[in-house]
Amino acid sequence: MTRALRRLATVFTTPLLPEDYASLLDPLRGRELRGRVETVERHDGFTTIGIKPGPGLSPHFHAGQFIGVGLQVQGRFVWRSYSLTSAPGEGSSLLTISIKPVPDGLFSQKLATSAQPGQLIRLTAPSGNFYLPVPLPKKAVFLTAGAGITPVVSMLRWLDSDHSAGDWPDAVHIHSERAAAPSEPYGPELQKLAERAPKYRLEHWDSRERGRLNVDAIRELVPDIDQCAIYACGPSELLDAVSEAWPQTVTEKFFSPLDSAGTSGGEIEFGDTGVQCESNGTTTILEAGEAAGLNMVHGCRMGICRTCVSTVESGVAVDLRDGTNYGEGEHVRTCVSVPSGYLKIRAGQH
């Protein structure tokens, strides 16, 4: 829609926007980024969902990035981030994600078990720094464990679809899982890829028999790893150990703020809203605000997407991921931060 036509349309639709009326005719259009579930495939460990994005979502992304998915869970909109498993430009208009339900995880359980074709879901634009650079490195090591395989699947599909065999980096992929082989649907696909792509080597690590994957084992499997670009996605213990051994490692960590706790918490005052509440040091600023009735802007709820960033007006907020303190005038991610004593923070609301 041209600017002039949009201005004219806005005159007739005010106080709403033209997009609000467009969404009545096509639910994929509107101010929110939305997608429609087109395909659902369920395997033992993963549920893979193909999503047709609305016209507001750019089709461009880097292989390895994630998108945010929003659903209503127990009457409240909740967001989670999932790595895209499709490759950019691979000929399909669908974005695919794979969900591995977390025990007692209301969101992942609901999405994995109830998703069905035709369902509309809210989305955020692809984001994240976990992707291969261009030009490609000459040597690469992919370290994955469990559901951490998903962003690397996107990378490998992109390498396979957009690059000749000679253009690949010399790639070693070590995948750890409590099974004799990588789970479906990815295990068979990656094994076939390893058979026909001469520069791709897949090493499966059965953690039931061999114990947890560790730095010594990785170094033994890839003796020249010091000269490689390294991409790792999996549990925090593995990523921390790998990052300490090889600081150049690019990691993807989907962080749960409740895994960490440490401050004594304090009182939170949300800007000029008049809302005040308490946090015990494990309840994040975002959660405390929502519990107090604020409809705060947020995205992944894991400290990744930066949608929830807000400004500290006075006091101190502590980022639970690394213990960093943020004071007056500084920006803090409310989904992974708690107050340390009295905190006044700008309230970003919908």
Side-chain angles (χ1 to χ4, degrees):
M1 185 180 296
T2 64
R3 291 186 178 180
L5 183 58
R6 177 180 172 77
R7 283 198 295 268
L8 179 61
T10 302
V11 170
F12 293 100
T13 60
T14 301
L16 301 179
L17 294 176
E19 291 86 345
D20 297 316
Y21 289 92
S23 66
L24 298 176
L25 302 175
D26 181 355
L28 291 183
R29 296 181 182 274
R31 280 190 271 183
E32 298 172 345
L33 296 180
R34 297 174 180 171
R36 181 168 55 226
V37 175
E38 295 285 331
T39 61
V40 180
E41 297 178 4
R42 293 186 170 89
H43 301 270
D44 287 343
F46 288 101
T47 296
T48 298
I49 300 175
I51 303 167
K52 179 182 179 181
L57 191 67
S58 170
H60 304 293
F61 66 94
H62 296 289
Q65 289 189 307
F66 61 84
I67 59 172
V69 177
L71 287 178
Q72 275 203 331
V73 178
Q74 295 184 339
R76 183 167 67 96
F77 243 93
V78 179
W79 290 82
R80 292 290 184 272
S81 296
Y82 291 96
S83 295
L84 291 164
T85 55
S86 49
E90 65 176 1
S92 172
S93 60
L94 297 184
L95 303 174
T96 62
I97 58 174
S98 284
I99 299 97
K100 195 165 191 175
V102 178
D104 300 325
L106 293 178
F107 189 98
S108 62
Q109 292 283 354
K110 178 173 182 177
L111 185 57
T113 58
S114 66
Q116 55 185 341
Q119 179 180 355
L120 293 176
I121 54 178
R122 294 185 183 182
L123 302 172
T124 65
S127 185
N129 300 319
F130 190 77
Y131 56 84
L132 290 168
V134 177
L136 295 170
K138 292 183 178 179
K139 297 181 178 180
V141 175
F142 302 114
L143 303 173
T144 61
I149 197 173
T150 52
V152 170
V153 166
S154 177
M155 292 180 177
L156 294 172
R157 286 176 171 174
W158 175 66
L159 288 172
D160 191 34
S161 62
D162 282 25
H163 300 78
S164 63
D167 292 336
W168 275 60
D170 290 320
V172 181
H173 179 190
I174 303 174
H175 177 66
S176 174
E177 190 170 325
R178 291 177 57 81
S183 296
E184 292 188 0
Y186 305 118
E189 176 184 345
L190 297 183
Q191 287 168 353
K192 289 180 181 178
L193 179 63
E195 292 170 2
R196 61 183 173 78
K199 289 191 171 183
Y200 172 63
R201 175 162 64 95
L202 175 63
E203 294 279 354
H204 180 70
W205 183 274
D206 186 347
S207 58
R208 295 176 309 179
E209 298 181 352
R210 307 172 76 177
R212 290 185 177 182
L213 182 64
N214 57 58
V215 168
D216 291 339
I218 294 169
R219 194 182 294 281
E220 186 173 337
L221 290 168
V222 192
D224 63 345
I225 191 170
D226 293 336
Q227 287 77 53
C228 298
I230 305 171
Y231 299 85
C233 185
S236 298
E237 295 82 1
L238 174 64
L239 301 187
D240 291 343
V242 170
S243 296
E244 183 176 352
W246 299 286
Q248 76 273 28
T249 302
V250 180
T251 62
E252 183 71 298
K253 180 189 300 184
F254 295 108
F255 177 82
S256 172
L258 295 181
D259 289 343
S260 300
T263 76
S264 57
E267 181 184 2
I268 309 171
E269 182 177 354
F270 290 92
D272 297 327
T273 64
V275 174
Q276 297 184 16
C277 59
E278 294 280 342
S279 166
N280 60 7
T282 60
T283 302
T284 65
I285 298 167
L286 174 62
E287 292 170 333
E290 290 177 333
L294 295 176
N295 185 18
M296 297 178 63
V297 175
H298 63 273
C300 65
R301 304 180 79 92
M302 291 182 285
I304 298 174
C305 72
R306 297 182 57 83
T307 304
C308 67
V309 166
S310 191
T311 305
V312 174
E313 296 187 351
S314 63
V316 175
V318 180
D319 191 319
L320 288 173
R321 299 171 301 172
D322 54 14
T324 301
N325 291 346
Y326 293 89
E328 183 176 340
E330 294 185 297
H331 295 159
V332 65
R333 302 180 196 197
T334 61
C335 71
V336 291
S337 299
V338 297
S340 179
Y342 170 78
L343 171 71
K344 185 175 183 180
I345 190 166
R346 192 168 299 165
Q349 297 189 72
H350 289 286

